[in-house]
Amino acid sequence: MPGFEIFGDEEKKEVQDVLDNGVLMRYGFDPMRNGHHKALELEKDLADRMQTKYAQVVSSGTAALTVALACAEIGSGDEVIMPTFTFVASFEAILSVGAVPVLCDIDDTLTLDPKAVEATITPKTKAIMPVHMCGSMADLSALKAICEKHNLILLEDACQAIGGTYDNKPLGSYGDLGCFSFDFVKTVTCGEGGGIVTNSKKFADRAHKYQDHGHDHVGNDRGAESHPFLGYNYRLSELNAAVGIAQLRKLDHTISVQERNYTILRNALKTIPEVTFRRVPVGGVESYAFLTLFLPSEDLARNTHKALGNYGVDACFYWYDNNWHYYKKWEHLLDQKSLGKFSQEIQTGLQKNNKTFDASDAWMGRSISCLIKLGWSETEVNERASKMVEAIKSVL
């Protein structure tokens, strides 16, 4: 995702402000700052953009998920339902707080199938974590209804979907907590970074403390602060936050360019009868980060992916064989390969994932996702669309 494509004078100015002050850490050193608090400014901007009361920036998307889970008091032996198609950070964060990631089938949205979720709930389930992969979302209203019925937390992993909306609400703001990644290949980048949004003062207060060793941030003497509870170091540096401030201001423009490029490609491909597209739930608007299509069979999808490469169409992904993003390649999770010994609860809980996910395989085996770049001119996008049509037709 293309935040790194648009580095310019805006990012340089914000970073230079930090270098001129010489304070790279978020907390303390107030006399040197000349009023500059980049992490705090980014939080205010993020909350405003996400239409939430609170935002907390942290060191990565993984950190955001970890802090969000901790703030929801999810821990030892608790189960969190997550999709089979995501990034490894989703289950890493769950494991890091001592909880158990429980894989669940996806549907044609390529994220959690509400019916499968309902069937996966046990007395140990504490949260449902839909992951808005490749810029689009699950049936969030159905998942929220399930959470309300079973008194569960709805935690949106919106790390790949900033700028999308559901029911006129920014993705990430619909659930109890929402998380974003601002790493180098995200739509908004800090280089490295992440963010949490919520309308819960309780969760926000906990996040503010937990991400900084449990500091209560009361008073002006950091060494004298108390610690209401244990925390860890997930702070975001001022340099990273500075980049994010400039990037977030560009989000609307980024989304508009991606929508243009996405629409040109989709309009070309929908002329092919055998090609269908990922379902966007009613009320949802993608961030247009990827165009995801389905072929009639796994063999055709595999051959189409190869053909796209042969025709010079880059940045197309066949996730079914991807080590980072699909459960079939997560041997380290499924075989419980860890440097530290898992608790007996985690060892037992993880065994639930050693099964087939036929519904997921049926969708992922037939899907190809194509990255949408900002740097393409309209002419280049049209040329790309023609190549894609030729490549797909050559297989069909």
Side-chain angles (χ1 to χ4, degrees):
M1 286 151 280
F4 67 90
E5 292 187 53
I6 52 173
F7 284 140
D9 292 339
E10 302 89 347
E11 287 84 356
K12 293 176 184 178
K13 176 187 178 301
E14 297 295 337
V15 170
Q16 192 61 52
D17 283 348
V18 178
L19 295 176
D20 289 344
N21 284 323
V23 181
L24 309 189
M25 183 179 175
R26 169 175 185 157
Y27 297 106
F29 305 96
D30 287 356
M32 299 171 57
R33 291 179 181 272
N34 297 318
H36 293 278
H37 294 267
K38 298 298 185 183
L40 183 61
E41 183 179 346
L42 179 56
E43 286 169 352
K44 290 178 179 177
D45 291 349
L46 182 61
D48 182 63
R49 185 62 175 77
M50 294 299 115
Q51 300 173 24
T52 56
K53 294 180 181 178
Y54 309 102
Q56 177 70 52
V57 293
V58 289
S59 54
S60 68
T62 312
L65 292 168
T66 302
V67 173
L69 289 162
C71 291
E73 296 183 89
I74 293 169
S76 180
D78 294 338
E79 294 180 352
V80 179
I81 296 173
M82 55 168 278
T84 52
F85 177 44
T86 178
F87 180 55
V88 293
S90 298
F91 64 74
E92 290 169 350
I94 295 167
L95 288 168
S96 75
V97 296
V100 178
V102 178
L103 301 181
C104 182
D105 266 320
I106 60 173
D107 57 19
D108 55 346
T109 65
L110 295 191
T111 186
L112 288 175
D113 176 358
K115 292 181 180 178
V117 168
E118 187 97 52
T120 306
I121 292 171
T122 74
K124 293 184 176 182
T125 305
K126 293 296 186 292
I128 296 172
M129 183 194 290
V131 183
H132 307 321
M133 285 292 288
C134 301
S136 192
M137 74 298 302
D139 287 313
L140 286 172
S141 60
L143 294 178
K144 178 174 275 190
I146 292 171
C147 286
E148 291 172 351
K149 175 182 176 182
H150 295 278
N151 192 30
L152 304 175
I153 293 291
L154 181 60
L155 170 56
E156 292 180 75
D157 181 338
C159 289
Q160 287 195 3
I162 192 168
T165 63
Y166 182 83
D167 195 20
N168 295 315
K169 297 179 180 179
L171 291 179
S173 71
Y174 192 85
D176 299 288
L177 292 146
C179 295
F180 302 96
S181 171
F182 302 136
D183 74 17
F184 192 60
V185 289
K186 293 298 186 291
T187 303
V188 169
T189 180
C190 294
E192 291 285 358
I196 306 159
V197 295
T198 184
N199 286 310
S200 166
K201 186 177 188 303
K202 177 177 71 174
F203 290 157
D205 286 345
R206 288 174 175 177
H208 186 41
K209 297 177 178 68
Y210 189 82
Q211 58 88 41
D212 183 32
H213 299 291
H215 278 277
D216 65 5
H217 304 121
V218 174
N220 296 317
D221 183 352
R222 184 168 171 82
E225 292 174 6
S226 64
H227 303 83
F229 47 74
L230 286 169
Y232 298 89
N233 181 6
Y234 297 114
R235 296 187 303 263
L236 185 69
S237 81
E238 291 288 276
L239 284 171
N240 293 105
V243 175
I245 289 169
Q247 285 267 304
L248 191 59
R249 290 173 185 156
K250 299 177 180 181
L251 179 58
D252 288 334
H253 173 70
T254 296
I255 297 299
S256 68
V257 174
Q258 289 194 149
E259 181 180 7
R260 180 202 70 185
N261 294 344
Y262 172 105
T263 302
I264 291 171
L265 295 179
R266 179 165 177 147
N267 286 342
L269 297 184
K270 73 181 183 182
T271 63
I272 306 172
E274 294 87 351
V275 170
T276 55
F277 299 94
R278 175 186 191 174
R279 178 171 63 88
V280 179
V282 174
V285 179
E286 297 180 75
S287 71
Y288 305 106
F290 289 82
L291 174 63
T292 300
L293 54 128
F294 298 120
L295 279 301
S297 70
E298 179 183 329
D299 285 343
L300 285 172
R302 289 181 180 277
N303 291 334
T304 296
H305 182 247
K306 292 177 183 177
L308 288 167
N310 292 336
Y311 274 73
V313 181
D314 66 344
C316 294
F317 302 91
Y318 185 62
W319 302 118
Y320 195 63
D321 292 336
N322 187 281
N323 285 16
W324 284 359
H325 291 288
Y326 196 51
Y327 83 96
K328 280 185 172 292
K329 296 291 186 176
W330 295 341
E331 293 92 349
H332 56 315
L333 174 69
L334 301 177
D335 296 338
Q336 302 190 27
K337 297 176 181 177
S338 173
L339 295 179
K341 185 177 180 181
F342 285 142
S343 70
Q344 187 59 54
E345 282 184 305
I346 289 179
Q347 291 179 52
T348 301
L350 286 178
Q351 291 174 11
K352 293 183 178 183
N353 299 319
N354 293 106
K355 62 179 185 179
T356 59
F357 293 90
D358 294 337
S360 298
D361 291 345
W363 290 112
M364 293 307 299
R366 299 194 295 112
S367 70
I368 297 172
S369 293
C370 304
L371 187 66
I372 306 298
K373 296 183 181 179
L374 293 181
W376 295 329
S377 67
E378 192 165 345
T379 298
E380 288 172 326
V381 180
N382 280 297
E383 290 174 351
R384 182 181 181 87
S386 297
K387 288 181 180 180
M388 291 180 74
V389 170
E390 289 180 35
I392 295 171
K393 286 185 174 180
S394 75
V395 172
L396 298 173

